[in-house]
Structure formats: C-alpha cells, structure tokens
C-alpha cells in the first residue's frame, strides 16, 4: 500500500505541469450570504420555485451518511464545506497540486428555481457572488455561468452580462435534467449565445424536471445516486439527434460528473440504430459517434471502477477520445476523486494521464481571456 | 447440442382475434369502442420501421416455422400486446387472459417447439398473479413478461406477489423492451423521435436490474431467474461497476444485499444476444464480452442466443460467436437457455 505522498511522487503529475480541476462545487456559507446578493423581496423567502416543491424526499432520498461532503472539508470557521475561499484553495489546490479550478456551484444551480423572476434573481446572485467573492479571492479560480435554464430569454441575457463582466467565466453551465431534452429548439438560443461568445456549454449531473422518468422513482438512495449519470446519455442522444451540431458547427459541449463507462456503449448503439433506422434520422449525415468525437468532452469524476484495473485503459481505447477527457475532483463531495489515486500512469499510461489532468482542459477553456 | 432461440415475437392481428376468448359484454363493448385504435403496442414497434415492425397480420406460424424454426430446436415466444397500458382494471384482466389463451391455442398448441411468455398487466397485482397461475397450468408457458417502462420499478413492494409466484412456479421473469407505464421514458421527459426512444431504452432496463438487485427480492426468493430481452448486453459491465461502487458506499441502507450487485446480476440474470451494440473492431468485441464475465462466471454463460424475429438487424450473433470456442458457442446457442428455462424436463427431444 503506497501512501498518498508516495503515490504523488511515483504516479502523480510532475508538479511543474500542474493539474486542472474542471469541476469544483463551491457553496454559499449560509442563507444570509445568498440574501446579500439577492434583491430584498427574496430575503428569507423559499428559494425553490413551484417545480421543486413537495419532492424533497423523492429527489434526494435519505442519504445513508451524515454529510454529502468530505469529513475534512469543513473550514476552520465552521461554515459549510467549500464556502471559504482561502481554505478551499489551501485544501484542494495547494493540497493536490491543482493550478486552476473551475467552480460550478451545483447546490444553488440545480436545486433552485430554473425559471421565473426568482430563477433570474438567483442566477444573477450566484454569478455576482462568483465574481465578488471567488474570482476576487484567488486568481486560480474560474467558473461556469449559472443560468435559469428553463427561461431562455433570461439565460441569454445573463450569459452576455457575465461574459462582459469578468474573463474568468469560461463556460455556460446547464443542469443535466431539464424539462425537455436539451436538443429541443427551446434551448437553442442558449447554445447560440455560447457559440457566439466562443464558450463551451457544460452540462452537469443533476437538476429537476418533476420526474426521474422510466420506471418511476427509485426506492433507495443508492439507486438515486447511481442514476445521476443517466441523464447524460439521454441528453447526448438528444444533442446528436437534434442536429444542433450542424446548426452550430463550432459548438463544444462538456458532460460533467457522469463518469465514462457508458460512453462507448452509447456510441455503438447510436451508430447501429442510425444505420438501421435511417427512416427516422434522415437529417443525420454523419455517424453519431463521429459527431460525438467532434463535439463532446467528458469530465472524469466519478471515475469508473472496473473489475480489473486494465479495463480502464480499454475503456479509453473504446472511446477513442483521448483529447476530450478532462480530470475533475468533485470537491468537496464525499466521492471526491483524488488526482493522486485515480487515472494512474500504471492504469492508463503517462501520455493519457498528462492529457486528462492538464492538457485537454487548456485546449478547451480559454483561461487567458482578458 | 440443441439450438434455442430465446426471443421471437408474435402479434395479435386485430382485436377481433381475441373476441372468442372474452367473456360477458366485452366483445360487444370493444366492437363499438374506439380505444383499441390507439394502442400502445403499435408505438413500441412502429410499422414504418424495417427494423422494429411487428405487424400481426404478417406474422404467421407458417412464417415463423420457415424463417426460424427450421434452424432451431425450440424458441421462446413473446406477444407484446400492451395490456399494461389498459387502465380499466376489468378490461385489462379480460385482455391479458385472452392474449395468453390465443397464444396457447394458435401457437403453442400448434407447434411443440414453441414455449410461451405470459402477458400480464403488472399494475393490478392480484389479477396478474391469478392469470399467471391460470396460464402456467399449460406447461409450455415458461416465462412472465414485465415491460421495462413500468408504473413503478419492479423491485417495489407492490410487485412482490408477482416475483413470489414466479419463484413458486419456477417461471423465468423476462424484462422486455417497451411498456406503457404512463411516465415519460427519461428524467427530461419525452424524446422527439422513435430513434431516440429506441437508443435510450437500455436506460430503462438498467434501473430495473438495479431495482430487482437491491430490493431484497433475490435474497427472499434465491431461485429467481430473470431474462433481459432485446436490450443488448454490452452496456451491462459498465453499469455493474457503477452499481458495485454505489453499493460499497451504502451498505447501511441495504444491509440485505450481502454481495456486490454484479454478483447477483451474474447469478440471476441472463441476456439475449439480439440486438447487440458492438464496436467495429473484433478485438474490442472480445474485450466487451470478457468484461461481461469475471473470474467466477464466464461471459458465455450469461448469454442466450436470440434472433428477435421478425425484427431485422444487419448483424446477428455471429460477431459474438466469432470470439468464442465451439463449446462456448454451444452454451450461448442453446445450452444456456435449456438450463435457464428448464426446457429439458418439458421437451424430451431437447435432452442432451
């Protein structure tokens, strides 16, 4: 058994290169802190719109653990994990050799209202908080633009506002669960705006549509957590079928916090069905896997844990997307992927490790925007 | 070694076909009602699709005998009639019984190489159980069909009497493509095309497998056998890794699940071979197959050969068989199904 320090030396990235973490979940320290960024009419009011009310137990389950976070991630102040800039930078960035981190505050983005006046106010509050607290607090921090995804007009305005306001906004972040499949024309203006501003669109696990679909609500928390990835293949299917990538040839989309193992199997199925159901997809001129390999990116957490370690390398062979997979930690959540313990050279080789932990994110995100 | 086709389909040509099996006023009711013109079954297998079309009038026993039974020793027959979509509890019960009687008389009784699948509406559990008990009196009904798009997942306590009956009767439970649970197929609601519906169908199979695995059903009735039909199998290893990882993180919640979920999957589930979503590279096909098994269970033990007739595909089981030894291929082509469905005891000609 190697220690973490040993693993970093033998398996880890050379520190000079530095790791880029594509998915970190910073959090408000309290309700009072959110209210400081919200208009007064919302102070102390419930932040969940009509769509999310009455479903708490169905949506989150009863998690069999005292916290959803790493036990050591509570800052010295005692505030919520990932709510203290200095402590987050010390524990995550300094502690793990990470040189840049992209913040996606999913608690706020995914559970709160996605439409209406409250949806707009929340998105604006989150983005102002990112700039005033996090970007100002440490120059290694970047973020996605939070939008009220079901309100396309509001989303477009917020994307443009943020892009102009601060160069550390690197992407537009959407929840993986939307009220319609994400390729629906309703959402096209969001993609169009991202393309115009040369930003990728990140689709992150989670969100709320009122249903989990298919066979109904899962009974156990272990199922709910397991199914988090399942909207990714659905949204990917919708993106491919919609023709969005023909309409916006430069569009790049990142699927975050879904792992990877489902990707090759989905490509095989999309391709076979495309060949055998051309009647229903006459507008798709390219093989779906070709579209995916030209437009999609994936972040790694929760990295798949195959029965045998060598299967991970074979999974990457099957995906054939070495230039489009990017490391993410999911800090501060309990299923955090430590970069010294996942995607090791012994599993995937030095070249792939360097691409995934560093180079691919630099190629996609414009960290040097001014 | 016998060859068994673990998935062929027939279809009720029209609702009139069922009138002789209906009781009371139901034939008259249906004759003067509109409901059957918007039937769920036609959405599951649309007639415009060369791949999926399952048109009742074109599917005859004679065609099945010519196309399939000439080359196999036995076949497992499915008749999807969407009875799970019928909300009317009394009509639903009439229809499920009529479908099973029709399958018995027009198919099983006319060719003893055919074994049947009992159609039920699982949402009215008492009637479903009674119908299973009635239909299973005919010894060539070997299986119960549960369509994957259900009202609740099948590990839900409301369905346990069905599992209990399957265990007691020694019937296999088939998780089958389609279904009319009344909910959208995905968390992002309805897709915009049949192509998308078809692609994402495996994402309805996966939660059903997990639901059955973590629910405690398999601990309570350890003899249960489940066939996963018409879903492909290449996605199963990756999903099993994910289930195992989640299980490690939630032992306290489901203490009756004593082993990793993948162990239950390899013990209690078998997968039909058609359709198969496979990579272009034969070496990667072999890799996918290897990952379906583990050191204890060989992957070829988990597959049941199927044609999925009359659905038409470009490729068949040959891409899988290419990476097997002849003895392993014999297991996939028939011996596994013989064991899984206990066909040997029901059909002397199949005893090796």
């Amino acid at each position: 058994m190697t220690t973490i320090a040993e693993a970093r030396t033998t398996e880890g990235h050379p520190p000079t290169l530095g790791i880029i973490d594509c998915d970190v979940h910073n959090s408000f320290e309290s309700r009072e802190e959110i209210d400081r960024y919200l208009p007064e009419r919302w102070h102390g009011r419930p932040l969940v719109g009509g769509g999310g009310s009455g479903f708490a137990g169905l949506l989150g389950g009863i998690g069999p653990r005292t916290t959803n976070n790493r036990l050591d991630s509570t800052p010295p102040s005692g505030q919520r994990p990932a709510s203290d800039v200095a402590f987050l930078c010390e524990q995550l960035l300094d502690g793990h050799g990470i040189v840049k981190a992209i913040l996606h505050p999913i608690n706020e983005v995914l559970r709160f209202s996605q439409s209406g006046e409250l949806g707009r106010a929340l998105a604006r509050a989150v983005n102002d908080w990112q700039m005033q607290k996090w970007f100002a607090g440490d120059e290694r921090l970047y973020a996605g633009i939070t939008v009220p995804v079901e309100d396309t007009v509001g989303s477009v305005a917020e994307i443009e506002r943020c892009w102009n306001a601060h160069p550390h906004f690197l992407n537009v972040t959407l929840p993986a669960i939307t009220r319609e499949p994400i390729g629906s024309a309703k959402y096209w203006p969001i993609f169009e705006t991202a393309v115009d501003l040369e930003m990728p669109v990140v689709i992150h696990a989670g969100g709320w549509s009122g249903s989990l679909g298919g066979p109904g609500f899962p009974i156990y928390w272990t199922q709910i957590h397991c199914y988090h990835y399942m909207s990714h293949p659905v949204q990917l299917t919708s993106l491919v079928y919609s023709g969005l990538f023909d309409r916006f040839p430069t569009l790049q989309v990142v699927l975050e916090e879904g792992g990877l193992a489902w990707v090759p199997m989905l490509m095989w199925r999309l391709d076979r069905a495309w060949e055998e159901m051309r009647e229903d997809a006459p507008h798709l001129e390219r093989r779906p896997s070709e579209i995916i390999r030209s437009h999609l990116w994936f972040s790694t957490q929760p990295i798949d844990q195959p029965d045998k370690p060598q299967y991970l390398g074979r999974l990457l062979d099957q995906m054939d997307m070495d230039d489009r997979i990017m490391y993410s930690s999911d800090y501060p959540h309990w299923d955090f992927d430590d970069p010294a313990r996942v995607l090791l050279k012994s599993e995937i080789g030095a070249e792939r490790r360097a691409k995934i932990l560093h180079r691919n994110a630099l190629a996609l995100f414009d960290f040097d925007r001014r | 070694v016998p060859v068994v086709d673990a998935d062929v389909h027939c279809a009720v040509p029209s609702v009139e076909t069922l009138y002789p099996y209906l009781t009371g006023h139901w034939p008259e009711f249906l004759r003067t009602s509109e409901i059957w013109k918007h039937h769920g079954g036609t959405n599951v297998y649309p007639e415009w699709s060369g791949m999926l079309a399952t048109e009742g009038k074109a599917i005859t026993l004679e065609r099945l005998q010519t196309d399939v039974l000439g080359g196999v020793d036995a076949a497992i027959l499915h008749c999807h009639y969407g009875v799970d979509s019928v909300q009317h509890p009394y009509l639903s019960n009439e229809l499920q019984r009529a479908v099973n009687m029709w399958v018995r008389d027009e198919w099983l009784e006319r060719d003893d190489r055919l074994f049947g699948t009992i159609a039920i509406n699982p949402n009215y559990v008492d009637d479903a159980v009674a119908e299973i008990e009635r239909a299973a009196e005919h010894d060539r009904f070997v299986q119960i069909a549960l369509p994957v798009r259900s009202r609740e997942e099948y590990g839900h306590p409301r369905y346990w009497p069905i599992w209990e009956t399957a265990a007691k009767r020694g019937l296999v439970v088939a998780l089958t493509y389609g279904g009319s649970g009344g909910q959208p197929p995905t968390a992002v609601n309805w897709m915009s095309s049949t192509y998308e519906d078809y692609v994402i169908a495996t994402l309805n199979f996966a939660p059903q497998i997990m639901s059955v695995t973590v629910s405690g059903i398999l601990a309570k009735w350890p003899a249960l056998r489940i066939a996963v039909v018409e879903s492909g199998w290449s996605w199963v290893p990756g999903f099993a890794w994910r289930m195992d990882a989640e299980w490690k993180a939630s032992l306290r919640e489901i203490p009756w699940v004593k082993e990793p979920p993948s162990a239950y999957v390899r013990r209690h589930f078998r997968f039909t071979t058609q359709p198969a979503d496979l990579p272009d590279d034969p070496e990667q096909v072999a890799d996918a197959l290897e990952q379906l098994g583990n050191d204890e269970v060989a992957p070829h033990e988990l597959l049941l050969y199927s044609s999925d007739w009359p659905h038409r595909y470009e490729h068949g089981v040959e891409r899988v068989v290419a990476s097997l030894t002849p003895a392993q291929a014999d297991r996939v082509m028939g011996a596994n199904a013989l064991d899984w469905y206990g066909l040997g005891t029901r059909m002397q000609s199949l005893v090796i």
Side-chain angles (χ1 to χ4, degrees):
Chain A
M1 186 75 188
T2 48
T3 66
I4 294 179
E6 281 166 354
R8 280 206 188 104
T9 317
T10 57
E11 292 277 6
H13 218 283
T16 47
L17 206 48
I19 297 164
I20 296 175
D21 185 343
C22 289
D23 192 28
V24 175
H25 301 310
N26 56 336
S27 182
F28 284 96
E29 59 187 39
S30 62
R31 174 58 201 265
E32 289 68 34
E33 189 186 17
I34 304 176
D35 282 350
R36 289 207 292 277
Y37 295 89
L38 280 172
E40 198 175 344
R41 69 168 281 204
W42 302 110
H43 290 186
R45 300 270 305 280
L47 297 184
V48 182
S53 58
F55 286 98
L58 286 172
L59 180 57
I62 310 290
R65 53 180 49 75
T66 51
T67 167
N68 196 35
N69 299 303
R70 271 173 54 164
L71 292 175
D72 62 355
S73 64
T74 300
S77 62
Q79 299 284 15
R80 285 163 64 186
S83 68
D84 180 313
V85 179
F87 185 72
L88 180 143
C89 290
E90 181 193 330
Q91 185 169 56
L92 176 66
L93 276 60
D94 301 342
H96 293 278
I98 292 167
V99 295
K100 297 179 198 300
I102 304 177
L103 304 172
H104 296 137
I106 53 161
N107 284 337
E108 286 69 27
V109 179
L110 303 180
R111 297 206 182 128
F112 289 174
S113 189
Q114 299 288 339
S115 62
E117 205 51 48
L118 177 58
R120 290 186 182 193
L122 275 166
R124 193 179 181 95
V126 168
N127 293 323
D128 284 345
W129 169 76
Q130 297 280 38
M131 288 188 272
Q132 291 168 30
K133 175 169 174 172
W134 296 90
F135 297 165
D138 196 300
E139 64 183 13
R140 295 170 293 178
L141 301 177
Y142 299 79
I145 298 172
T146 292
V147 298
V149 65
E150 305 302 341
D151 170 2
T152 306
V153 174
S155 290
V156 166
E158 186 63 12
I159 294 166
E160 289 171 344
R161 182 184 81 89
C162 292
W163 190 87
N164 286 312
H166 205 293
H168 278 215
F169 282 116
L170 298 181
N171 69 69
V172 176
T173 308
L174 308 180
I177 298 182
T178 44
R179 292 187 195 168
E180 290 179 43
I182 197 69
S184 164
K186 165 186 166 180
Y187 302 110
W188 287 1
I190 296 177
F191 289 100
E192 183 172 20
T193 307
V195 164
D196 285 349
L197 300 177
E198 299 182 347
M199 279 195 288
V201 174
V202 165
I203 297 177
H204 188 285
W208 178 240
S209 68
S211 146
L212 288 185
F217 279 99
I219 293 171
Y220 297 109
W221 180 90
T222 185
Q223 296 172 274
I224 293 173
H225 197 257
C226 184
Y227 302 166
H228 274 176
Y229 84 91
M230 280 194 180
S231 290
H232 285 53
V234 172
Q235 298 289 38
L236 181 46
T237 301
S238 174
L239 285 170
V240 166
Y241 187 82
S242 68
L244 201 60
F245 297 114
D246 289 328
R247 177 172 283 257
F248 306 115
T250 60
L251 174 61
Q252 300 293 325
V253 177
V254 189
L255 295 181
E256 291 211 333
E257 206 173 328
L260 306 174
W262 56 271
V263 179
M265 296 74 179
L266 183 79
M267 289 199 281
W268 303 336
R269 190 169 177 88
L270 281 164
D271 282 354
R272 181 181 63 78
W274 175 72
E275 281 161 17
E276 296 185 319
M277 296 180 83
R278 291 307 299 272
E279 312 97 313
D280 205 31
H283 59 291
L284 289 188
E285 288 173 12
R286 287 183 290 170
R287 233 183 162 199
S289 60
E290 192 190 325
I291 297 174
I292 291 169
R293 291 193 176 104
S294 308
H295 294 278
L296 268 293
W297 301 68
F298 299 90
S299 72
T300 55
Q301 193 278 343
I303 191 65
D304 303 278
Q305 301 168 45
D307 295 342
K308 296 182 179 173
Q310 65 266 31
Y311 290 170
L312 193 61
R314 294 197 208 165
L315 171 63
L316 299 182
D317 292 344
Q318 291 167 344
M319 283 181 74
D320 192 17
M321 296 180 75
D322 282 358
D323 295 332
R324 294 174 163 269
I325 300 170
M326 303 178 291
Y327 167 75
S328 59
S329 72
D330 197 36
Y331 180 90
H333 294 161
W334 64 274
D335 49 350
F336 171 82
D337 278 346
D338 181 341
R341 294 190 163 208
V342 298
L343 298 157
L344 302 178
K345 286 180 195 169
S346 58
E347 295 169 334
I348 61 169
E351 174 69 11
R352 273 178 167 162
R353 182 171 165 85
K355 284 184 172 181
I356 293 173
L357 270 71
H358 179 77
R359 295 216 299 264
N360 291 346
L362 285 183
L364 177 65
F365 295 110
D366 185 4
F367 290 103
D368 298 324
R369 189 163 76 85
R370 291 286 172 261
Chain B
V1 179
V3 175
V4 179
D5 188 334
D7 179 28
V8 298
H9 296 259
C10 65
V12 178
S14 71
V15 69
E16 289 82 6
T17 311
L18 300 180
Y19 289 172
Y21 300 102
L22 299 172
T23 64
H25 75 298
W26 291 114
E28 179 57 25
F29 177 82
L30 288 172
R31 193 174 292 123
T32 52
S33 298
E34 194 191 26
I35 60 164
W36 225 240
K37 290 166 193 159
H38 306 286
H39 181 235
T42 53
N43 294 330
V44 171
Y45 294 126
E47 286 169 20
W48 55 257
S49 166
M51 176 170 73
L52 291 176
T54 314
E55 209 180 339
K57 291 190 180 73
I59 299 174
T60 61
L61 177 62
E62 291 67 32
R63 261 194 67 203
L64 178 68
Q65 286 167 333
T66 308
D67 291 359
V68 176
L69 294 173
V72 305
D73 298 282
I76 312 286
L77 183 66
H78 286 261
C79 185
H80 178 92
Y81 197 55
V83 285
D84 60 310
S85 72
V86 181
Q87 282 279 78
H88 191 308
Y90 309 109
L91 180 56
S92 154
N93 195 27
E94 283 286 318
L95 286 168
Q96 67 188 8
R97 190 175 62 237
V99 171
N100 294 324
M101 286 177 159
W102 176 76
V103 167
R104 179 196 64 195
D105 291 353
E106 297 300 321
W107 297 80
L108 306 186
E109 284 290 314
R110 290 175 60 203
D111 194 315
D112 63 9
R113 294 168 293 184
L114 289 175
F115 292 87
T117 302
I118 301 168
I120 54 169
N121 179 348
N123 298 314
Y124 298 116
V125 169
D126 292 348
D127 287 340
V129 165
E131 174 56 17
I132 294 166
E133 298 276 11
R134 189 203 61 75
E137 286 301 311
H138 193 288
D139 75 349
R140 271 190 290 120
F141 275 112
V142 293
Q143 178 167 260
I144 303 161
L146 295 179
V148 286
R149 282 178 58 184
S150 56
R151 187 74 48 85
E152 304 271 5
E153 53 183 30
Y154 289 121
H156 192 285
R158 72 184 284 187
Y159 298 122
W160 283 31
I162 294 172
W163 294 102
E164 183 179 16
T165 309
K168 194 176 70 189
R169 285 276 183 174
L171 296 164
V172 172
V173 174
L175 293 173
T176 62
Y177 177 78
S180 315
Q183 308 190 78
T186 80
V188 303
N189 290 307
W190 275 270
M191 308 304 280
S192 67
S193 63
T194 304
Y195 170 83
E196 293 165 285
D197 263 1
Y198 179 80
V199 169
I200 59 94
T202 56
L203 298 162
N204 292 156
F205 279 88
Q208 296 287 13
I209 290 174
M210 186 169 196
S211 171
V212 171
T213 302
V214 303
S215 65
I217 291 170
L218 300 175
K220 196 167 170 70
W221 296 293
L224 278 172
R225 304 184 309 285
I226 297 138
V228 180
V229 179
E230 209 183 326
S231 85
W233 52 268
S234 52
W235 54 273
V236 175
F239 183 64
W241 305 338
R242 177 70 52 213
M243 281 199 293
D244 285 359
E246 300 293 348
W247 169 75
K248 284 182 212 156
S250 46
L251 297 171
R252 286 198 315 135
E253 189 194 24
I254 44 171
W256 51 84
V257 183
K258 304 287 187 198
E259 299 166 80
S262 62
Y264 293 89
V265 169
R266 292 190 175 102
R267 191 180 313 131
H268 293 275
F269 291 80
R270 295 293 180 268
F271 302 86
T272 63
T273 57
Q274 194 73 298
D277 299 301
L278 297 172
D280 298 334
D281 176 356
E283 259 182 54
Q284 289 190 357
V285 175
D287 284 348
L289 191 61
E290 178 191 326
Q291 292 174 21
L292 184 63
N294 64 7
D295 292 340
E296 283 82 47
V297 185
H300 62 266
E301 296 291 336
L302 300 176
L303 296 178
L304 309 173
Y305 162 68
S306 70
S307 67
D308 195 20
W309 184 91
H311 305 154
R312 289 194 299 274
Y313 305 98
E314 303 247 331
H315 297 287
V317 72
E318 73 280 353
R319 298 206 62 213
V320 176
V321 166
S323 56
L324 298 175
T325 66
Q328 291 170 343
D330 285 346
R331 295 293 307 172
V332 172
M333 295 304 294
N336 288 339
L338 225 55
D339 294 346
W340 204 240
Y341 290 100
L343 300 186
T345 60
R346 297 171 195 256
M347 189 177 181
Q348 282 305 310
S349 66
L350 291 175
V351 177
I352 303 168

